[in-house]
Amino acid sequence: DHPHLHLVNGYGPAESMGFTTTHTLTGPAPAIPIGRPIAGKHAYVLDENLRMLPPGVPGELYVAGHGLAHGYIGQPALSAERFVADPHGAPGSRMYRTGDLARWSQDGALEYFGRADQQIKLRGFRIEPGEIESALLRHPTLAQVAVLIREDRPGDKRLVAYVVPTEGSRPDLPELRRHAVAALPEYMVPATIVPLDALPLTVNGKLDRRALPEPPQADTAGGREPRTPAEEVLCGLFAEVLGLTSVTIDDHFFQLGGHSLLATRLIGRIRSIWDTRVTIRDLFQYPTPVLLAEHIATNTGGDPMETLLPIRAATATDTEAPLFCVHAISGMSWSYAGLLRHIGGRRPLIGLQAKELTSPSDRPAGIEEMAAGYVAEIRSVQPHGPYHLLGWSFGGLVAHAIAARLEEQGEQVALLALLDSYPLPDGFRPPAITGREVLTALLGGRGAGIDVRCADTAPDAEELAAVLRAEDAILGALEPAQAAAVVAATAGNLEMRYRYVPRRRFGGDAVFFDAARTPAATGAEAWAPHVTGRIEEHEIDCEHWDMTTAEPLREIGKVLAEELRGVRH
């Protein structure tokens, strides 16, 4: 309406004297950048170790260059805290720590996210409201968003998003929830989305948080009610298995807290009602009542033992590279399903399972050969890096070997996550592989007390399969032949594991998760000879065998979500 006006958005703390960055406005936008540094000024987006962050990754904003103050008069301690040595400038130069959060856009402009000290904490997670607001604002129907934690009832803390639609738009709350789930990790998805005509402001033009209305007790961002008998039954089964009062047809089983054990219970309940071949693989692919009802109507079932198991399959709209999860000693990758709710809805999650589960003749001669086969499988899905790899126990050894091979092929491995996985110590003497060894490998301590004829002899696949199907709920979901294949794969993997010494070094960094209740002689340092980069260690309060159960995966998922997004605090 005013073409003669030339509008510029400027940013600059008083400590840097005037504007440090500017952005010329060319039209309406949901979020206006603060722009690029002007001549003689510098701006850095850095992590906690003062390393520069790539575009798209939020961090703390530092400024330097002409006009920077030398400090605060009479406040040496505060000066030392805020004016720090500039590792990216000339020797002896300093930069100012603004305390603001920002990130570089792909076209080189700075996007402002608010103050670092406005971080909020919910259920042990540090959350940046500005990052959630920015993610929601990418939806074309939203003009403004404000996110905060509310505790309207004692002990009931909820993450609430207040949204203002663009002119002519009406908020579609289920669609906005799907958008949030796809864009954010589980712990950053608002529990409630509240539409407003406008955000309340103070007389100074700032958000008046105290004037934001209390959200309704019911979650107004819920999905649709059942429309058919099949959808009604599935909603009831979802709620029963998950321990919830109600579920809508659009609710995602794994986003609501489902994991592999609960998934097998749900599949069992479904099979008791319908004559269907539905498997856990189908639940991965059709995780809501509406999608699963449509799939059951076709009376088809996917093979849950296939080598590439799409726990969350890639879609045409995905913008993030997959996380590949390598099976443990059993050869199965179902247990990684609990990560889905923590790593964000746009991140495909693909399990790698032992090839001999479906093709016994494909058993590899050793871990190096196994890793080479999995590299080919991985590259059939994602031809080039950066790659993200994770492995628990035996799977960590394989994931390390895969990472080293990909690196040798000139590819980048951005994440290597090792879940309580150790190379064998020097002087290790392998035990005989007996029925007892296989039971212990699959059932942990429970396997030691089970009486089987082959306890001290070579494993009997049929005998052990029958025991395992009776003792373990997940293995109990398998057909007898499938359980026998798991026994055979476990015995073969034990034999490979007991003679494996990593031959290749991985040149990048690794993240190591230690099961604190199952102490080992060495921790992450066991990987030092085999990993050139830094090894970041995290203690998880669990035993080795519980590493992929719900609560440990919650803590692991929190770290992985930050690693995958490039944000570490």
Side-chain angles (χ1 to χ4, degrees), residues 8 12 23 40 49 102 118 186 229 273 287 307 312 428 437 510 530 540:
V8 177
H23 173 77
N49 295 315
Q118 287 178 348
E186 178 267 344
I273 295 173
T307 301
R312 182 189 182 276
F428 175 79
E437 279 289 303
H530 313 293
I540 305 298

Side-chain angles (χ1 to χ4, degrees), residues 112-141:
Y112 179 77
F113 282 140
R115 296 288 300 167
D117 54 15
Q118 287 178 348
Q119 283 187 343
I120 53 182
K121 197 168 185 178
L122 181 65
R123 301 192 306 274
F125 294 95
R126 279 186 295 242
I127 296 172
E128 294 166 1
E131 192 171 349
I132 302 173
E133 293 164 359
S134 178
L136 288 172
L137 280 169
R138 288 197 288 271
H139 196 279
T141 66

Side-chain angles (χ1 to χ4, degrees), residues 217-561:
Q217 295 301 319
D219 187 350
T220 58
R224 296 169 291 172
E225 294 301 311
R227 304 162 300 176
T228 67
E231 290 176 354
E232 185 168 2
V233 169
L234 285 172
C235 285
L237 293 179
F238 272 48
E240 173 192 324
V241 170
L242 292 167
L244 302 174
T245 55
S246 64
V247 169
T248 74
I249 65 173
D250 299 302
D251 283 327
H252 191 296
F253 182 79
F254 297 100
Q255 293 291 345
L256 291 176
H259 48 74
S260 55
L261 178 57
L262 293 180
T264 57
R265 290 178 185 169
L266 177 63
I267 295 302
R269 296 287 287 115
I270 291 172
R271 287 179 174 177
S272 71
I273 295 173
W274 281 287
D275 180 18
T276 176
R277 293 171 47 230
V278 67
T279 69
I280 194 171
R281 183 194 182 283
D282 301 307
L283 187 57
F284 291 148
Q285 191 168 359
Y286 309 103
T288 66
V290 65
L291 295 176
L292 194 57
E294 293 172 0
H295 178 67
I296 289 173
T298 68
N299 199 31
T300 60
D303 187 353
M305 312 297 278
E306 63 186 354
T307 301
L308 284 175
L309 180 68
I311 299 173
R312 182 189 182 276
T315 67
T317 59
D318 284 331
T319 58
E320 298 174 328
L323 174 61
F324 293 95
C325 300
V326 186
H327 61 80
I329 201 74
S330 68
M332 299 169 63
S333 293
W334 299 9
S335 60
Y336 296 118
L339 285 173
L340 277 177
R341 68 190 305 220
H342 304 299
I343 64 170
R346 290 186 177 175
R347 177 83 56 186
L349 185 66
I350 299 175
L352 289 166
Q353 302 197 121
K355 292 186 177 182
E356 60 263 39
L357 293 179
T358 53
S359 180
S361 62
D362 283 343
R363 179 173 298 168
I367 286 179
E368 288 290 344
E369 183 179 317
M370 177 182 284
Y374 290 158
V375 166
E377 296 284 352
I378 288 169
R379 300 196 75 167
S380 72
V381 174
Q382 183 187 352
H384 298 288
Y387 292 101
H388 304 92
L389 305 170
L390 176 148
W392 171 41
S393 193
F394 175 85
L397 299 170
V398 184
H400 172 269
I402 291 171
R405 281 183 175 270
L406 286 169
E407 198 172 54
E408 285 181 355
Q409 295 174 8
E411 297 292 344
Q412 179 191 1
V413 176
L415 174 66
L416 173 61
L418 306 167
L419 276 59
D420 212 44
S421 174
Y422 298 91
L424 293 172
D426 293 338
F428 175 79
R429 299 184 65 180
I433 298 173
T434 63
R436 178 74 64 219
E437 279 289 303
V438 171
L439 283 178
T440 302
L442 291 171
L443 300 178
R446 288 187 295 141
I450 298 175
D451 186 24
V452 290
R453 291 193 307 271
C454 62
D456 301 315
T457 61
D460 182 309
E462 290 187 4
E463 180 189 10
L464 295 181
V467 171
L468 290 165
R469 293 180 71 234
E471 291 287 335
D472 186 86
I474 294 176
L475 295 172
L478 301 177
E479 300 296 329
Q482 292 174 324
V486 170
V487 170
T490 301
N493 290 340
L494 281 170
E495 190 275 331
M496 286 187 274
R497 194 270 187 273
Y498 287 156
R499 58 182 168 83
Y500 178 66
V501 177
R503 297 205 305 264
R504 292 174 166 84
R505 286 170 64 89
F506 172 57
D509 297 336
V511 184
F512 180 83
F513 297 90
D514 181 38
R517 296 188 192 177
T518 305
T522 56
E525 63 267 21
W527 283 102
H530 313 293
V531 175
T532 303
R534 183 172 63 97
I535 303 173
E536 181 178 311
E537 186 169 6
H538 298 270
E539 278 199 356
I540 305 298
D541 185 22
C542 70
E543 295 183 358
H544 174 82
W545 308 103
D546 297 327
M547 205 71 174
T548 55
T549 56
E551 284 307 310
L553 279 186
R554 181 182 182 85
E555 292 301 310
I556 293 167
K558 171 188 173 183
V559 176
L560 288 177

Side-chain angles (χ1 to χ4, degrees), residues 21-67:
T21 66
T22 60
H23 173 77
T24 301
L25 280 67
T26 57
I32 301 173
I34 58 175
R36 298 168 173 79
I38 63 175
K41 304 269 192 175
H42 307 286
Y44 311 122
V45 179
L46 307 179
D47 65 12
E48 68 275 12
N49 295 315
L50 302 184
R51 295 175 300 193
M52 289 190 181
L53 292 170
V57 179
E60 190 162 355
L61 181 59
Y62 292 73
V63 297
H66 295 165

